[in-house]
Amino acid sequence: MIPELGHFSLIVALLLAVVQGTLPLVGAQTGNASLMAVARPAALGQLAFIGLAFASLAYAFLTNDFSVKNVASNSFSQLPPVYRLTATWGSHEGSMLLWVLMLAGWTAALTVLSRRLPAQTRARVLGVLGLVSVGFLAFVVATSNPFERLLPPPADGRDLNPLLQDAGMILHPPMLYMGYVGFSVSFAFALAALLDGRLDAAWARWARPWTTVAWVFLTVGIALGSWWAYRELGWGGWWFWDPTENASLMPWLAGTALIHSLAVAERRGQLLAWTLFLSIATFAMSLLGTFLIRSGVLSSVHAFANDPARGLFILALLAVVIGGSLLLYAWRFPRGGAPEAFGWVSRESLLVANNALLLAALATVMLGTLYPLFLDALGFGKVSVGPPYFDAVFVPLFAPLLFLVAVGPLTPWRQGSAATLAHRMRWAFVGALVLAVAVPLAQGDIRPLAALGVFLGAWILFGVVVGLAQAPSRGSGLRTLPRGYWGMQVAHAGLAVMVLGITLVSNYQSERDVRMDVGDHVDLAGHRFVFKGATGHPGPNYVADRATVEVTTPGGGSFVLYPEKRKYNATGAGMTEAAVRTGVLGDLYVSLGEHLGGKAWSVRVYHKPFVGWLWAGGALMALGGLLAASDRRYRRAPAPAEAPA
Amino acid sequence: MKRWLPFAAFTVLLAFLFAGLWLDPREVPSPFIGKPAPAFTLPVLERPGQTFSPAQARGEPWLLNVWAPWCRTCRKEHPFLMQLAASGVRLYGLNWQDQAREAAALLAEIGNPYVLNAVDQDGRAGIDWGVTGVPETFLIDADGVVRAKHSGPLSERVWNRKFAPLLQGKGS
Amino acid sequence: MSGLRRWGVPLALLVTSAVAVEAPPNADDPALERRLLALTADLRCVVCQNESLAESRAPLAKDLRQEVRDLMRQGRTDPEVVEYLTARYGDFVLYRPPFKPVTYLLWIGPALFLGAGGIAWFLAIRRRQCRTAADRILDGDSGTDPPLS
């Protein structure tokens, strides 16, 4: 009964989406207030019904209803309750349901938080979101019904993929989808402006906080995915340039360019047409990512089961949504205000450079990800494009960008002076150089790439310090600095921390791959690891061989790690659960290999210096974004007839 | 003019993505197509003491079917292989990585469509042929040149699409 | 000498040496193994196609790693090992795409994008400066620029 209720709710939601996607747009075009007012109840109704559908699926999982095919394929009676809940979005169908739920959530938030938008604009934004929702709900109902029954129901399920049975699974997909879907809001604002035929700084001001929050979620989602891979895959890697990862990186690069472009659009009323285009492009990247993951066009360890019918549907969705928007863009090519000049050295100029570099990086990632497809489609055979390629090309693209990150916030709008900047940053430069030599030296040896990475990270951090130190001299104390300013500095600092983490762990990690018998020890990075043997250890839905490893630190302290090798009851699938000791200066990572007979096991120990800075940096970036989005000026009612600041 | 650039570029991208739906990114193409079949000398399953090399099969086109007793998908293609053999196709088997030596018993039970089976116990010959898994089937022509490779089970559809046209072209 | 004292020291040595051993490396030749891992990290596993040959736990991957080990022991160089594998599995097995006519665009692309971005930046700034200068001329301004704050 409940699954059928869920299915029915989805269909009702689809109908409401159709209403939301048509009437308000007609109303905005004709100036009909009552049609425009339909948007709000339609959006809230959609959220209610999709929420009901989602709750039905979650209920089916929590109560082990194996007559629902999705539950039978992804759950198991012994699966701990929290993972039974997360299994709701562990499959293609379930994750699409999560997607439409998020979309309904963002739309509902917009209806509540956008009272100050002009009615016409609001109706158009909600109308566009309604149309997007129609597309995705139709996709779910037509090709990806999560409520399909399996009769007669099996006695038990096939269990959730062991790799997904982890804390990362609880948050990574929801955060990621909040980001992907959140960019549909800035997309809707862009289309509303094209339909309105009016584009000004006020539009940028409305769109900006929504876009920033979407970016925050995407950042968190990607960081969580990386952290989860690090802990779950057994050997401490954190980024593989896998097509699915690239599918999330592409909207992130576009979104980062967008939030910076919006800064110019909001503050100076410039680059409006470009920002509008970028809004469409960023959501296009979200949709492209969805297509790549679910169509089977690229092979990925992450991809869901492939179904050409689904691939075709999403491609059609992509074609209609983005093709339609780009047609609209070409037809109603927006004319922003009169272009104002700004200097070669100015905040605007540096933000344009930021966009140029980020888009070059985006184009590169897209090129590398899709190249195998391009060649194969043209009949030129198959090539593989993997980490060696991306690692080689990404650094030269990102290094100049990182250099500019320190300079940008210190550069005034309209016209700055290179000489003044150089003077202000002289100590930051020297300090960064010193650290670029000292830190690698402290780690072992000076490598060019390590020195470069440390220089850039330190350079940005010192730039933040310079910015904060010199702000009071401009007449306002630190405490009166607007949140937007703090957000920028914190986010940039987060980026620097991440760069430092990536640089140091990539260059200075070490490992030992040894055969250990009871009592044997191995030394790594000043720590001694003593193997105390392995014993059987049952888990809720698996049995494990759990090893005990005593670790002594150089300082004399000690702790114990318990790496496991698990075998899951439902499928017999095996998995290595590494034991990780996290520290500010680095992680110690122990992974159990094979049983070598008797009491001996093959064991891998890793030292990963500063790897935690990767995710700490990501968290800081997200915090910075939240600070920026919650700036008071977005919550204040705008003064009438507002000129670009 | 530049207002149309994004739409144009997007259309090109769409065309490629559309084409991509009909391709299989997981298929590893064989570098041996159009090249002489890699050589090996392996014991014959059905006739202990004898060995087989690809050169011995020259004169007419033949198939090399890589399979293993523990491979479930191979069982699925087995009925079709029996049909092929019955219709006169020269089917040779490469018994791949059969550590438990179950091949003979299995064939006795379900039927043997092969002219003979070469036993590749350690998988070395498989590596030399670029085998990535089982089942895989190669078509070799009368002069010993590899003409086609299929990864995955053989079926009527695959046969008609991939192998039959090549065989007809050579007028077997 | 009592029995314990006679045998005590050798026994003690025997016991302690059996217990507190520095764990030996898993590989017979760690230096070769390091070379193996470095080389196979850039090769694609043809079975689990989204793992490198170094990481993959697929049986064929293990066999191929052993094959590479044997080739290295025979004295083959890294390029020769790669050649051995691409002769059998094609360019598909290379995670670092070769620099061939068919991949020129792939390798040169990023530089092109960077160049295009630079040109776009340059033009964007210059266009505004020229335009506003032209506007000023058309407006009949005196010719002294107002101070840009």
Side-chain angles (χ1 to χ4, degrees), chain A residues 619-634:
Chain A
L620 274 177
M621 287 201 285
L623 177 63
L626 284 179
L627 284 173
S630 62
D631 189 288
R632 236 180 313 135
R633 72 181 186 278
Y634 298 123

Side-chain angles (χ1 to χ4, degrees), chain A residues 233-235 240 242-243 270-271 299-301 339-344 348-350 352-353 356-357 359-360 363-364 367-368 371 375 380 382-389 392-393 396-397 400 413-415 511-516 518-523 528 574-576 594 596 601-604, chain C residues 17-27 33 37 41-44 49-52 54-55 57 62 90-98 100-111 113-118 120-133 135-136 147-149:
Chain A
L233 292 182
W235 45 273
F240 316 98
D242 179 84
Q270 297 295 300
L271 297 183
S299 104
S300 163
V301 67
E340 287 175 21
F342 39 80
W344 291 101
E348 294 95 325
S349 167
L350 286 175
V352 170
L357 286 166
L359 259 73
T364 302
L367 182 68
Y371 206 77
L375 281 194
F380 288 133
K382 295 212 197 246
V383 290
S384 301
V385 181
Y389 171 80
V393 299
L397 279 173
W413 293 96
R414 294 197 69 199
Q415 185 70 59
E511 72 176 82
R512 299 284 304 280
D513 184 8
V514 291
R515 175 207 157 88
M516 298 192 94
V518 179
D520 286 355
H521 70 268
V522 65
D523 295 329
R528 172 157 292 200
M575 204 188 77
T576 305
E594 273 148 26
L596 298 172
W601 282 81
S602 108
V603 179
R604 277 213 186 140
Chain C
S17 68
V19 169
V21 172
E22 160 107 38
N26 256 324
E33 208 64 16
L37 282 180
D42 283 355
L43 296 173
R44 188 173 191 178
Q49 295 181 346
N50 286 85
E51 294 183 292
S52 72
E55 299 147 22
R57 288 180 222 133
K62 278 204 199 114
D91 283 343
F92 183 85
V93 82
L94 298 172
Y95 257 146
R96 173 186 289 264
K100 288 176 162 175
V102 100
T103 56
Y104 280 165
L105 190 57
L106 178 66
W107 282 106
I108 304 179
F113 295 141
L114 194 57
W121 170 79
F122 179 80
L123 289 177
I125 318 262
R126 203 177 62 135
R127 192 168 40 95
R128 289 158 183 280
Q129 298 190 340
C130 288
R131 190 177 298 179
T132 46
D135 283 344
R136 260 182 262 119
L148 297 169
S149 57

Side-chain angles (χ1 to χ4, degrees), chain A residues 115-136:
Chain A
R115 312 285 176 110
R116 283 183 243 107
L117 272 183
Q120 239 185 351
T121 308
R122 179 146 49 104
R124 290 197 156 113
V125 170
L126 290 174
V128 169
L129 286 174
L131 288 177
V132 174
S133 202
V134 167
F136 280 99

Side-chain angles (χ1 to χ4, degrees), chain A residues 65-96:
Chain A
D65 183 356
F66 296 120
S67 71
V68 176
K69 192 162 155 201
N70 200 289
V71 179
S73 311
N74 296 286
S75 188
F76 187 51
S77 53
Q78 294 169 5
L79 191 60
V82 67
Y83 295 132
R84 268 186 264 155
L85 179 62
T86 65
T88 311
W89 53 78
S91 63
H92 162 77
E93 296 84 353
S95 66
M96 282 314 301

Side-chain angles (χ1 to χ4, degrees), chain A residues 433-460:
Chain A
L433 273 181
V434 166
L435 283 183
V437 170
V439 172
L441 208 54
Q443 291 295 313
D445 58 347
I446 305 182
R447 289 174 213 191
L449 281 180
L452 178 65
V454 173
F455 172 77
L456 289 171
W459 169 241
I460 297 175

